[in-house]
Amino acid sequence: MSKAVAGKFTLEYLLNLLLSVGLMGQQHADSIKKDYQSSLSDFSRRPRGGKPNSPAAFLSDPLDYLISLRLPLPGAAEGRLIDDDVLARLMAKDSGLPYHRVEQRELDLDFITHLLPQSFATRHLVQPLGLEGNKLAVGVRHPFYQAVLEDVRRVAGREIQPVIVSQSNLKKLITDIYAFNSSVKGATDQYDGGSRLGLDVSNLEQYVKLKNASEIADDDQHIKNLIDLLFAEAFESRASDIHIEPKRDQLLIRMRFDGILHDMYHLPAVIHPAMVSRIKTISRLDIAERRRPQDGRIKISHKDSEAEVRVSTMPVAFGEKVVMRILDPEALFLDLKSMFFNADDYKKWQDFMAHPHGIILVTGPTGSGKTTTLYSTLRQLSTPEVNVTTIEDPIEMIHDQFNQVAVQPKVGVTFASIIRTILRQDPDIIMVGEMRDKETAENAVQAALTGHLVLSTLHTNDAPSAATRLVELGLEPFLVASTVIGVMAQRLVRRICPYCASEFVLTGKMALELGFITQGDLTLTQGRGCDECRNTGYLGRVAAVEVMPFSDALKELIMNPEQNAIAFKNQARTEGMSTLRENALDLMLAGKTTIQEVLRVTSAD
C-alpha cells in the first residue's frame, strides 16, 4: 500500500501514483491539487439550493474529479486519456492486489447475484466475482474498502480476496449482471421453470407436445430485456454475429469476434422458444412457421450509433437455430487506401476503377470481406453524375447513394432477370452480388459489352482461378477475355492487439520447418493476450489480397484451351502479381499479424 496517504483514498494518493510512474510532473500535480481545493472551498460556500460554481458531481470523489479533467496519457496513442482503467491498474500495482477487467460471460450470475442485493452493490460499487479457492473474489474500484469488504465477508461467510476493477467496468457489470439474471430468471419461471415439456425437439424426436404460437408471449418483458441485453453486449464488444443454438438440456449463446466464435452463455433451454419468437417478431418473420428457414432484418440503435442486423433462422435437432449478423456501417464502408498494405496493389485496384466499362471481380470464401470491398469501391465511384445500381441477396446495408434491389426468387426477381431490367434503367455502374450461374454471368457480360462497369463476387480460392471458373459457368473464353478488367482475391487475417504486442525471434530453422524460405532469424510480433483483446492476442482484422489485372498475355492464355490454371497463375506471377500468401507474409513481417494467422488463412503457393 502506498505510504503517502496512510490508507486513505484521496486525490493526493492518485496524483502520487501518477508521479511515481512518470505520467505527470510535480508542477502539474500541484496545480491540480490547488484547483481541487479551490473548487471544494467554492462549493462549501455555495448557498443551499443554489447552483454550484464547479463540477460538484465530481468533487465528492477524487477519482471522478481526476477523470473529469480528461488528462492526456503521455506516450500513448493520440486521444488516449488518463482514465479510470489507467488509474485502476496503477492502484492494483501499488497495493499488491490483482487487477482484472471482468466480462459478464465469465461470471456465475445466479451465484453472485444471490450474495448481495443490487442496491448494496450499486451504492458501494462493490461486486462479488466468484470463488477463488476458499476465498470470494470481490471487485472494488480502489484498495481502501476495508469496512465494506468486512460487511461482504459477514454476509457471504467467506474470506474475501479484493480485486481491483475499473470504475466504469464495475458500474456496467453491476447494471448488466442484475438485469440479465433477472430477465433469465423471470423468463425461466414463466416458462414452466425449466420443465422438459417446454423443449422443442420437433426436428429430432416426435414425443414432445409443442406449444403453438399463441402460447408464446412474444411481448414478454423479460424476453425483451434479455434480447436487448444481448444486442447491447454484442455492440460494445464488437461482435459480428450472435448465434442462438438450442441443445437438449440448455440454450447456448455464442458470439463471433474477429472471425472466431466464442461461447458466451449457457441458458435454460425452456426460454428458447420465447427468445426465437421475440426475434422473429421484431424482424417481421412468421412466428408460427418452425419447419423451414426464414430470413429477415432489423434496424437497431445503441447509444449514438445504428446498425442493420440480418436474421436467419434454421430448424435443427432441438428447435430453431438463429444467427444474427450485425452490419456496422463504419465497418462496411472503409477507406480503400487503408485496405491495401501494398501500394502497388492499391494502384492496380484504382486502375480497375478508372475503366469506363468491363467487369471487376472480387473472390474469396464467405466472410472474407468481399462485400466491404465492393461497398467501399462503390462509395468512391458514386458521384452525382453516375447512376449506381446494386443487385444483392440480401441487401447488406441501405445506402442513399445507391439504387439497391433485393433478389426475390419467389416473385421471379433473380440476379439474371433483374440485370436485364436494370439495363433499361440507364445505369452507369452495376454491382451484382454474386455470379452463381451461367445466366447471371451472361447478363453481366452483356452489360459490360454495352458500356457499363460491372462489379461482382465469385467463389474461388485465388484470383487466377476466376477465369477458369467463368469458363466453367458456360461463358465463351473470348467473352471473358474481352470483358474482365481484373480480379482481386482476399482473406481476412486477425490483427495483432496493439495493447499487448511483443517481439520474439523465429529462428531460420523453425521458419524452414514451417515452409518459409529465409536467410536467417526473423524478429516477429505476437500478442501476449490482455483484457483489451479478450486474452486472444488479436484485435480487429486486416485484409490480405491478391490483385491480378487481365493483361494481353493472360487474355491469350484464356483463349487457348490447351493452357491450364497453373500456366495462367505462373504468367500472372511473372507479371508481378503478389499472391495471398506473399501478401500475408508481408503483413506478418510488418508486425500486423502472426505466423499462425498466415498459415491458418492462406495456402502455400
Side-chain angles (χ1 to χ4, degrees), residues 23 62 111 141 160 168 188 190 217 243 271 289 318 366 374 379 406 417 419 435 438 476 494 539 558 561:
L23 293 181
F111 171 71
R141 68 190 183 113
I160 301 299
S168 57
T188 304
Q190 180 171 351
H243 290 236
I271 68 174
E289 178 56 74
F318 296 104
T366 301
L374 289 180
R379 190 169 68 168
S417 66
I419 293 177
M435 286 196 191
K438 179 181 179 182
E476 294 292 339
R494 289 185 289 173
L539 189 63
I558 296 172

PDB file of all heavy atoms in Angstrom, residues 23 62 111 141 160 168 188 190 217 243 271 289 318 366 374 379 406 417 419 435 438 476 494 539 558 561:
ATOM      1  N   LEU A  23       3.855   9.699 -15.248  1.00  0.00           N
ATOM      2  CA  LEU A  23       2.737  10.126 -16.095  1.00  0.00           C
ATOM      3  C   LEU A  23       2.324  11.572 -15.806  1.00  0.00           C
ATOM      4  O   LEU A  23       1.404  12.088 -16.451  1.00  0.00           O
ATOM      5  CB  LEU A  23       1.534   9.197 -15.891  1.00  0.00           C
ATOM      6  CG  LEU A  23       1.717   7.756 -16.378  1.00  0.00           C
ATOM      7  CD1 LEU A  23       0.455   6.942 -16.133  1.00  0.00           C
ATOM      8  CD2 LEU A  23       2.076   7.723 -17.857  1.00  0.00           C
ATOM      9  N   PRO A  62     -12.469  11.803  -5.464  1.00  0.00           N
ATOM     10  CA  PRO A  62     -11.232  12.204  -6.145  1.00  0.00           C
ATOM     11  C   PRO A  62     -11.027  11.499  -7.478  1.00  0.00           C
ATOM     12  O   PRO A  62     -10.460  12.078  -8.403  1.00  0.00           O
ATOM     13  CB  PRO A  62     -10.136  11.831  -5.139  1.00  0.00           C
ATOM     14  CG  PRO A  62     -10.751  10.840  -4.217  1.00  0.00           C
ATOM     15  CD  PRO A  62     -12.198  11.193  -4.143  1.00  0.00           C
ATOM     16  N   PHE A 111     -25.110 -17.297  -8.847  1.00  0.00           N
ATOM     17  CA  PHE A 111     -24.384 -17.369  -7.575  1.00  0.00           C
ATOM     18  C   PHE A 111     -24.100 -15.976  -7.021  1.00  0.00           C
ATOM     19  O   PHE A 111     -24.389 -15.691  -5.850  1.00  0.00           O
ATOM     20  CB  PHE A 111     -23.076 -18.145  -7.781  1.00  0.00           C
ATOM     21  CG  PHE A 111     -22.150 -18.108  -6.596  1.00  0.00           C
ATOM     22  CD1 PHE A 111     -22.449 -18.796  -5.436  1.00  0.00           C
ATOM     23  CD2 PHE A 111     -20.971 -17.362  -6.640  1.00  0.00           C
ATOM     24  CE1 PHE A 111     -21.600 -18.757  -4.343  1.00  0.00           C
ATOM     25  CE2 PHE A 111     -20.114 -17.314  -5.553  1.00  0.00           C
ATOM     26  CZ  PHE A 111     -20.431 -18.017  -4.400  1.00  0.00           C
ATOM     27  N   ARG A 141     -13.184  -0.697  -6.722  1.00  0.00           N
ATOM     28  CA  ARG A 141     -12.546   0.265  -7.626  1.00  0.00           C
ATOM     29  C   ARG A 141     -11.276   0.876  -7.062  1.00  0.00           C
ATOM     30  O   ARG A 141     -10.520   1.519  -7.790  1.00  0.00           O
ATOM     31  CB  ARG A 141     -13.535   1.366  -8.012  1.00  0.00           C
ATOM     32  CG  ARG A 141     -13.909   2.286  -6.874  1.00  0.00           C
ATOM     33  CD  ARG A 141     -15.068   3.211  -7.230  1.00  0.00           C
ATOM     34  NE  ARG A 141     -15.341   4.123  -6.149  1.00  0.00           N
ATOM     35  CZ  ARG A 141     -15.140   5.434  -6.213  1.00  0.00           C
ATOM     36  NH1 ARG A 141     -14.671   5.971  -7.303  1.00  0.00           N
ATOM     37  NH2 ARG A 141     -15.405   6.195  -5.175  1.00  0.00           N
ATOM     38  N   ILE A 160     -12.404 -12.878   2.076  1.00  0.00           N
ATOM     39  CA  ILE A 160     -12.525 -12.050   0.878  1.00  0.00           C
ATOM     40  C   ILE A 160     -11.163 -11.840   0.222  1.00  0.00           C
ATOM     41  O   ILE A 160     -10.159 -11.598   0.905  1.00  0.00           O
ATOM     42  CB  ILE A 160     -13.137 -10.675   1.231  1.00  0.00           C
ATOM     43  CG1 ILE A 160     -14.513 -10.865   1.871  1.00  0.00           C
ATOM     44  CG2 ILE A 160     -13.224  -9.791   0.006  1.00  0.00           C
ATOM     45  CD1 ILE A 160     -15.527 -11.556   0.987  1.00  0.00           C
ATOM     46  N   SER A 168     -15.630   2.163 -14.396  1.00  0.00           N
ATOM     47  CA  SER A 168     -16.618   2.017 -15.477  1.00  0.00           C
ATOM     48  C   SER A 168     -16.978   0.549 -15.677  1.00  0.00           C
ATOM     49  O   SER A 168     -18.138   0.210 -15.944  1.00  0.00           O
ATOM     50  CB  SER A 168     -16.076   2.612 -16.775  1.00  0.00           C
ATOM     51  OG  SER A 168     -14.843   2.013 -17.139  1.00  0.00           O
ATOM     52  N   THR A 188     -37.467 -17.870 -17.232  1.00  0.00           N
ATOM     53  CA  THR A 188     -37.433 -19.290 -16.890  1.00  0.00           C
ATOM     54  C   THR A 188     -38.611 -19.664 -15.991  1.00  0.00           C
ATOM     55  O   THR A 188     -39.270 -20.694 -16.194  1.00  0.00           O
ATOM     56  CB  THR A 188     -36.113 -19.635 -16.177  1.00  0.00           C
ATOM     57  OG1 THR A 188     -35.023 -19.246 -17.006  1.00  0.00           O
ATOM     58  CG2 THR A 188     -36.014 -21.122 -15.890  1.00  0.00           C
ATOM     59  N   GLN A 190     -41.449 -18.163 -15.828  1.00  0.00           N
ATOM     60  CA  GLN A 190     -42.699 -18.057 -16.575  1.00  0.00           C
ATOM     61  C   GLN A 190     -42.928 -19.272 -17.465  1.00  0.00           C
ATOM     62  O   GLN A 190     -44.045 -19.756 -17.603  1.00  0.00           O
ATOM     63  CB  GLN A 190     -42.692 -16.792 -17.435  1.00  0.00           C
ATOM     64  CG  GLN A 190     -43.972 -16.620 -18.254  1.00  0.00           C
ATOM     65  CD  GLN A 190     -44.034 -15.262 -18.927  1.00  0.00           C
ATOM     66  OE1 GLN A 190     -43.223 -14.394 -18.652  1.00  0.00           O
ATOM     67  NE2 GLN A 190     -45.000 -15.091 -19.799  1.00  0.00           N
ATOM     68  N   ALA A 217     -45.581 -15.915 -25.441  1.00  0.00           N
ATOM     69  CA  ALA A 217     -45.796 -14.470 -25.271  1.00  0.00           C
ATOM     70  C   ALA A 217     -44.605 -13.721 -25.839  1.00  0.00           C
ATOM     71  O   ALA A 217     -43.614 -13.487 -25.156  1.00  0.00           O
ATOM     72  CB  ALA A 217     -45.992 -14.137 -23.795  1.00  0.00           C
ATOM     73  N   HIS A 243     -25.048 -16.146 -32.254  1.00  0.00           N
ATOM     74  CA  HIS A 243     -25.628 -17.459 -32.539  1.00  0.00           C
ATOM     75  C   HIS A 243     -26.463 -17.900 -31.342  1.00  0.00           C
ATOM     76  O   HIS A 243     -25.975 -17.903 -30.206  1.00  0.00           O
ATOM     77  CB  HIS A 243     -24.528 -18.497 -32.778  1.00  0.00           C
ATOM     78  CG  HIS A 243     -23.783 -18.312 -34.062  1.00  0.00           C
ATOM     79  ND1 HIS A 243     -23.682 -19.303 -35.004  1.00  0.00           N
ATOM     80  CD2 HIS A 243     -23.124 -17.243 -34.566  1.00  0.00           C
ATOM     81  CE1 HIS A 243     -22.974 -18.862 -36.031  1.00  0.00           C
ATOM     82  NE2 HIS A 243     -22.622 -17.605 -35.782  1.00  0.00           N
ATOM     83  N   ILE A 271     -36.419 -21.306 -22.217  1.00  0.00           N
ATOM     84  CA  ILE A 271     -36.718 -19.952 -22.695  1.00  0.00           C
ATOM     85  C   ILE A 271     -36.444 -19.787 -24.189  1.00  0.00           C
ATOM     86  O   ILE A 271     -36.719 -18.737 -24.759  1.00  0.00           O
ATOM     87  CB  ILE A 271     -35.927 -18.886 -21.907  1.00  0.00           C
ATOM     88  CG1 ILE A 271     -34.425 -18.976 -22.199  1.00  0.00           C
ATOM     89  CG2 ILE A 271     -36.205 -18.996 -20.428  1.00  0.00           C
ATOM     90  CD1 ILE A 271     -33.615 -17.873 -21.558  1.00  0.00           C
ATOM     91  N   GLU A 289     -44.224 -20.445 -38.113  1.00  0.00           N
ATOM     92  CA  GLU A 289     -43.515 -21.365 -39.007  1.00  0.00           C
ATOM     93  C   GLU A 289     -42.173 -21.760 -38.405  1.00  0.00           C
ATOM     94  O   GLU A 289     -41.284 -20.937 -38.222  1.00  0.00           O
ATOM     95  CB  GLU A 289     -43.296 -20.690 -40.368  1.00  0.00           C
ATOM     96  CG  GLU A 289     -42.533 -21.550 -41.360  1.00  0.00           C
ATOM     97  CD  GLU A 289     -43.195 -22.896 -41.592  1.00  0.00           C
ATOM     98  OE1 GLU A 289     -44.238 -22.920 -42.277  1.00  0.00           O
ATOM     99  OE2 GLU A 289     -42.673 -23.912 -41.078  1.00  0.00           O
ATOM    100  N   PHE A 318     -32.957 -29.621 -32.021  1.00  0.00           N
ATOM    101  CA  PHE A 318     -33.723 -29.314 -30.817  1.00  0.00           C
ATOM    102  C   PHE A 318     -34.472 -27.992 -30.910  1.00  0.00           C
ATOM    103  O   PHE A 318     -34.702 -27.337 -29.902  1.00  0.00           O
ATOM    104  CB  PHE A 318     -32.794 -29.311 -29.601  1.00  0.00           C
ATOM    105  CG  PHE A 318     -32.198 -30.653 -29.320  1.00  0.00           C
ATOM    106  CD1 PHE A 318     -30.887 -30.914 -29.657  1.00  0.00           C
ATOM    107  CD2 PHE A 318     -32.958 -31.667 -28.757  1.00  0.00           C
ATOM    108  CE1 PHE A 318     -30.332 -32.157 -29.405  1.00  0.00           C
ATOM    109  CE2 PHE A 318     -32.412 -32.910 -28.515  1.00  0.00           C
ATOM    110  CZ  PHE A 318     -31.093 -33.167 -28.841  1.00  0.00           C
ATOM    111  N   THR A 366     -16.955 -17.132 -47.975  1.00  0.00           N
ATOM    112  CA  THR A 366     -17.870 -16.350 -47.152  1.00  0.00           C
ATOM    113  C   THR A 366     -17.123 -15.780 -45.945  1.00  0.00           C
ATOM    114  O   THR A 366     -16.347 -16.480 -45.300  1.00  0.00           O
ATOM    115  CB  THR A 366     -19.024 -17.241 -46.656  1.00  0.00           C
ATOM    116  OG1 THR A 366     -19.711 -17.775 -47.787  1.00  0.00           O
ATOM    117  CG2 THR A 366     -19.996 -16.439 -45.810  1.00  0.00           C
ATOM    118  N   LEU A 374     -16.498  -4.201 -52.074  1.00  0.00           N
ATOM    119  CA  LEU A 374     -17.378  -3.688 -53.130  1.00  0.00           C
ATOM    120  C   LEU A 374     -18.104  -2.426 -52.686  1.00  0.00           C
ATOM    121  O   LEU A 374     -18.203  -1.455 -53.448  1.00  0.00           O
ATOM    122  CB  LEU A 374     -18.391  -4.768 -53.538  1.00  0.00           C
ATOM    123  CG  LEU A 374     -17.831  -5.964 -54.317  1.00  0.00           C
ATOM    124  CD1 LEU A 374     -18.945  -6.940 -54.661  1.00  0.00           C
ATOM    125  CD2 LEU A 374     -17.148  -5.505 -55.601  1.00  0.00           C
ATOM    126  N   ARG A 379     -18.833   3.381 -53.112  1.00  0.00           N
ATOM    127  CA  ARG A 379     -18.979   4.697 -52.496  1.00  0.00           C
ATOM    128  C   ARG A 379     -17.984   5.687 -53.091  1.00  0.00           C
ATOM    129  O   ARG A 379     -18.295   6.866 -53.253  1.00  0.00           O
ATOM    130  CB  ARG A 379     -18.791   4.624 -50.981  1.00  0.00           C
ATOM    131  CG  ARG A 379     -19.165   5.933 -50.289  1.00  0.00           C
ATOM    132  CD  ARG A 379     -19.249   5.823 -48.795  1.00  0.00           C
ATOM    133  NE  ARG A 379     -17.949   5.586 -48.193  1.00  0.00           N
ATOM    134  CZ  ARG A 379     -17.729   5.686 -46.881  1.00  0.00           C
ATOM    135  NH1 ARG A 379     -18.720   5.973 -46.052  1.00  0.00           N
ATOM    136  NH2 ARG A 379     -16.527   5.446 -46.392  1.00  0.00           N
ATOM    137  N   ALA A 406     -33.211  -6.017 -54.054  1.00  0.00           N
ATOM    138  CA  ALA A 406     -33.039  -7.297 -53.362  1.00  0.00           C
ATOM    139  C   ALA A 406     -33.555  -8.430 -54.243  1.00  0.00           C
ATOM    140  O   ALA A 406     -34.623  -8.326 -54.859  1.00  0.00           O
ATOM    141  CB  ALA A 406     -33.794  -7.290 -52.036  1.00  0.00           C
ATOM    142  N   SER A 417     -32.494 -12.048 -64.027  1.00  0.00           N
ATOM    143  CA  SER A 417     -33.637 -11.306 -64.566  1.00  0.00           C
ATOM    144  C   SER A 417     -33.549  -9.822 -64.271  1.00  0.00           C
ATOM    145  O   SER A 417     -33.928  -8.989 -65.107  1.00  0.00           O
ATOM    146  CB  SER A 417     -34.944 -11.880 -64.008  1.00  0.00           C
ATOM    147  OG  SER A 417     -35.024 -11.652 -62.606  1.00  0.00           O
ATOM    148  N   ILE A 419     -30.881  -7.976 -63.918  1.00  0.00           N
ATOM    149  CA  ILE A 419     -29.860  -7.281 -64.713  1.00  0.00           C
ATOM    150  C   ILE A 419     -30.487  -6.779 -66.007  1.00  0.00           C
ATOM    151  O   ILE A 419     -30.213  -5.653 -66.458  1.00  0.00           O
ATOM    152  CB  ILE A 419     -28.667  -8.207 -65.013  1.00  0.00           C
ATOM    153  CG1 ILE A 419     -27.908  -8.541 -63.726  1.00  0.00           C
ATOM    154  CG2 ILE A 419     -27.707  -7.537 -66.002  1.00  0.00           C
ATOM    155  CD1 ILE A 419     -26.761  -9.517 -63.933  1.00  0.00           C
ATOM    156  N   MET A 435     -21.929 -13.886 -58.924  1.00  0.00           N
ATOM    157  CA  MET A 435     -22.115 -14.624 -60.178  1.00  0.00           C
ATOM    158  C   MET A 435     -22.159 -16.099 -59.832  1.00  0.00           C
ATOM    159  O   MET A 435     -21.123 -16.732 -59.617  1.00  0.00           O
ATOM    160  CB  MET A 435     -20.958 -14.333 -61.145  1.00  0.00           C
ATOM    161  CG  MET A 435     -21.013 -12.968 -61.789  1.00  0.00           C
ATOM    162  SD  MET A 435     -19.917 -12.892 -63.202  1.00  0.00           S
ATOM    163  CE  MET A 435     -19.937 -11.129 -63.523  1.00  0.00           C
ATOM    164  N   LYS A 438     -24.759 -19.557 -65.025  1.00  0.00           N
ATOM    165  CA  LYS A 438     -24.445 -19.134 -66.390  1.00  0.00           C
ATOM    166  C   LYS A 438     -25.282 -17.931 -66.810  1.00  0.00           C
ATOM    167  O   LYS A 438     -24.763 -16.973 -67.414  1.00  0.00           O
ATOM    168  CB  LYS A 438     -24.680 -20.291 -67.347  1.00  0.00           C
ATOM    169  CG  LYS A 438     -24.396 -19.935 -68.808  1.00  0.00           C
ATOM    170  CD  LYS A 438     -24.668 -21.112 -69.732  1.00  0.00           C
ATOM    171  CE  LYS A 438     -24.410 -20.722 -71.189  1.00  0.00           C
ATOM    172  NZ  LYS A 438     -24.708 -21.847 -72.118  1.00  0.00           N
ATOM    173  N   GLU A 476     -18.144 -18.132 -72.992  1.00  0.00           N
ATOM    174  CA  GLU A 476     -17.126 -18.355 -74.013  1.00  0.00           C
ATOM    175  C   GLU A 476     -15.835 -17.667 -73.588  1.00  0.00           C
ATOM    176  O   GLU A 476     -15.860 -16.548 -73.080  1.00  0.00           O
ATOM    177  CB  GLU A 476     -17.603 -17.796 -75.358  1.00  0.00           C
ATOM    178  CG  GLU A 476     -18.792 -18.515 -75.955  1.00  0.00           C
ATOM    179  CD  GLU A 476     -18.433 -19.933 -76.392  1.00  0.00           C
ATOM    180  OE1 GLU A 476     -17.230 -20.207 -76.607  1.00  0.00           O
ATOM    181  OE2 GLU A 476     -19.340 -20.765 -76.478  1.00  0.00           O
ATOM    182  N   ARG A 494      -6.416 -11.976 -38.644  1.00  0.00           N
ATOM    183  CA  ARG A 494      -6.566 -11.212 -37.410  1.00  0.00           C
ATOM    184  C   ARG A 494      -5.349 -10.322 -37.170  1.00  0.00           C
ATOM    185  O   ARG A 494      -4.216 -10.738 -37.378  1.00  0.00           O
ATOM    186  CB  ARG A 494      -6.785 -12.154 -36.227  1.00  0.00           C
ATOM    187  CG  ARG A 494      -8.147 -12.818 -36.234  1.00  0.00           C
ATOM    188  CD  ARG A 494      -8.385 -13.653 -34.983  1.00  0.00           C
ATOM    189  NE  ARG A 494      -7.573 -14.862 -34.988  1.00  0.00           N
ATOM    190  CZ  ARG A 494      -7.491 -15.692 -33.951  1.00  0.00           C
ATOM    191  NH1 ARG A 494      -8.157 -15.430 -32.842  1.00  0.00           N
ATOM    192  NH2 ARG A 494      -6.741 -16.770 -34.029  1.00  0.00           N
ATOM    193  N   LEU A 539      -6.784  -8.117 -32.132  1.00  0.00           N
ATOM    194  CA  LEU A 539      -7.827  -7.100 -32.017  1.00  0.00           C
ATOM    195  C   LEU A 539      -8.100  -6.536 -33.404  1.00  0.00           C
ATOM    196  O   LEU A 539      -7.290  -5.801 -33.962  1.00  0.00           O
ATOM    197  CB  LEU A 539      -7.381  -5.980 -31.070  1.00  0.00           C
ATOM    198  CG  LEU A 539      -8.441  -4.947 -30.684  1.00  0.00           C
ATOM    199  CD1 LEU A 539      -9.584  -5.617 -29.918  1.00  0.00           C
ATOM    200  CD2 LEU A 539      -7.831  -3.852 -29.833  1.00  0.00           C
ATOM    201  N   ILE A 558      -6.307 -17.360 -71.856  1.00  0.00           N
ATOM    202  CA  ILE A 558      -7.718 -17.726 -71.700  1.00  0.00           C
ATOM    203  C   ILE A 558      -8.268 -18.279 -73.012  1.00  0.00           C
ATOM    204  O   ILE A 558      -9.047 -19.241 -73.030  1.00  0.00           O
ATOM    205  CB  ILE A 558      -8.548 -16.508 -71.258  1.00  0.00           C
ATOM    206  CG1 ILE A 558      -8.095 -16.037 -69.877  1.00  0.00           C
ATOM    207  CG2 ILE A 558     -10.048 -16.852 -71.219  1.00  0.00           C
ATOM    208  CD1 ILE A 558      -8.726 -14.738 -69.446  1.00  0.00           C
ATOM    209  N   PRO A 561      -7.369 -23.117 -75.163  1.00  0.00           N
ATOM    210  CA  PRO A 561      -7.937 -24.163 -74.298  1.00  0.00           C
ATOM    211  C   PRO A 561      -6.902 -25.173 -73.810  1.00  0.00           C
ATOM    212  O   PRO A 561      -7.152 -25.913 -72.870  1.00  0.00           O
ATOM    213  CB  PRO A 561      -8.976 -24.841 -75.202  1.00  0.00           C
ATOM    214  CG  PRO A 561      -8.527 -24.547 -76.599  1.00  0.00           C
ATOM    215  CD  PRO A 561      -7.869 -23.205 -76.546  1.00  0.00           C
TER     216      PRO A 561
END
